[in-house]
């Protein structure tokens, strides 16, 4: 069995950290820039968080997304999610559910190995290749090899910090200090 898969078929990603924080009317997604192949850092400044979907009044995408997993697979999923957002008039929850249905049932998509955190101004979700669309409790979500470290740090900071971006950045810093597959070159997007 491929070492990236857990015994129950869930994918365990080795190579990135993505965190989403929703607090006080702000939602941010942050991700590190490290791309690893085995124990070798191939690229230190990849951009794993981006804007997608219809543009807002400032000319930026209304949805932000971050991915953990295979890069080409993630870009395929970004494109598919953008199409679903167009089909469902920017309704993130509806687009995410429809993408998850396709991801789970389509033979081609089922082989894509990536996880995503997606958010708009109202909703933050985790999308998995198992067809899950999860809305994280407490407004904090994290995925990737350093995801649990970032999640724990963000939850600890949540009672003491009111700024979503500060929580996300500090949580990413903690993950970079602990996880060898996470670096400190962080990209942050906000809706």
């Amino acid at each position: 069995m491929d070492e990236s898969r857990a015994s129950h078929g869930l994918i365990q990603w080795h190579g990135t950290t993505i965190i989403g924080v929703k607090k006080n009317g702000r939602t941010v997604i942050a991700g590190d820039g490290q791309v690893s192949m085995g124990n070798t850092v191939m690229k230190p400044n990849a951009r794993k968080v981006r804007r997608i979907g219809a543009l807002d009044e400032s000319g930026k995408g209304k949805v932000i997304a971050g991915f953990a997993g295979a890069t080409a697979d993630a870009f395929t999923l970004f494109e598919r999610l953008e199409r679903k957002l167009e089909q469902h008039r920017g309704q993130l929850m509806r687009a995410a559910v429809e993408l998850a249905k396709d991801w789970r049932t389509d033979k081609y998509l089922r082989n894509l190995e990536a996880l995503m955190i997606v958010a708009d101004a109202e909703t933050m979700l985790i999308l998995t290749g198992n067809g899950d669309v999860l809305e994280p409790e407490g407004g904090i979500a994290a995925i990737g090899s350093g995801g649990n470290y970032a999640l724990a740090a963000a939850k600890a900071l949540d009672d003491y910090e009111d700024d979503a971006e500060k929580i996300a950045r500090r949580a990413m810093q903690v993950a970079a200090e602990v996880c060898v597959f996470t670096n400190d070159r962080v990209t942050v997007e906000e809706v």
Side-chain angles (χ1 to χ4, degrees):
M1 176 184 248
D2 180 342
E3 70 181 46
S4 68
R5 293 190 184 269
S7 61
H8 300 290
L10 299 175
I11 299 168
Q12 300 295 311
W13 298 110
H14 304 285
T16 200
T17 301
I18 304 293
I19 188 161
V21 179
K22 184 177 183 63
K23 189 165 187 169
N24 294 333
R26 293 180 67 201
T27 302
V28 299
I29 295 179
D32 76 311
Q34 184 166 307
V35 176
S36 304
M37 181 179 280
N39 293 328
T40 303
V41 175
M42 301 300 288
K43 184 176 182 177
N45 59 349
R47 187 169 171 84
K48 301 172 196 170
V49 176
R50 58 192 61 232
R51 292 183 165 279
I52 61 174
L55 303 181
D56 63 14
E57 54 281 343
S58 66
K60 296 180 178 179
K62 291 182 182 179
V63 173
I64 52 177
F67 74 89
T71 305
D73 292 354
F75 285 132
T76 299
L77 292 169
F78 280 150
E79 290 172 8
R80 295 282 182 123
L81 181 57
E82 280 190 304
R83 278 188 254 156
K84 295 292 184 186
L85 285 165
E86 287 173 13
Q87 290 173 356
H88 300 288
R89 296 185 182 102
Q91 297 176 41
L92 179 58
M93 181 66 82
R94 178 86 188 272
V97 168
E98 293 302 318
L99 175 65
K101 285 181 191 176
D102 290 352
W103 198 350
R104 187 174 176 99
T105 59
D106 183 280
K107 200 173 195 173
Y108 169 73
L109 289 178
R110 218 178 5 220
N111 293 321
L112 298 181
E113 296 183 354
L115 294 167
M116 298 174 72
I117 296 178
V118 297
D120 63 12
E122 292 83 37
T123 307
M124 182 168 52
L125 305 167
I126 299 173
L127 307 179
T128 76
N130 296 328
D132 299 317
V133 177
L134 307 169
E135 191 165 11
E137 185 178 339
I140 301 172
I143 57 175
S145 60
N148 286 337
Y149 306 117
L151 181 65
K155 285 183 175 274
L157 291 166
D158 191 45
D159 289 339
Y160 306 100
E161 178 59 63
D162 290 328
D163 187 282
E165 183 174 345
K166 285 182 181 177
I167 293 170
R169 285 187 182 278
R170 180 63 181 127
M172 289 299 298
Q173 183 181 4
V174 169
E177 291 171 2
V178 179
C179 178
V180 297
F181 295 106
T182 302
N183 71 11
D184 61 359
R185 299 196 186 168
V186 176
T187 301
V188 177
E189 289 287 349
E190 177 184 350
V191 287

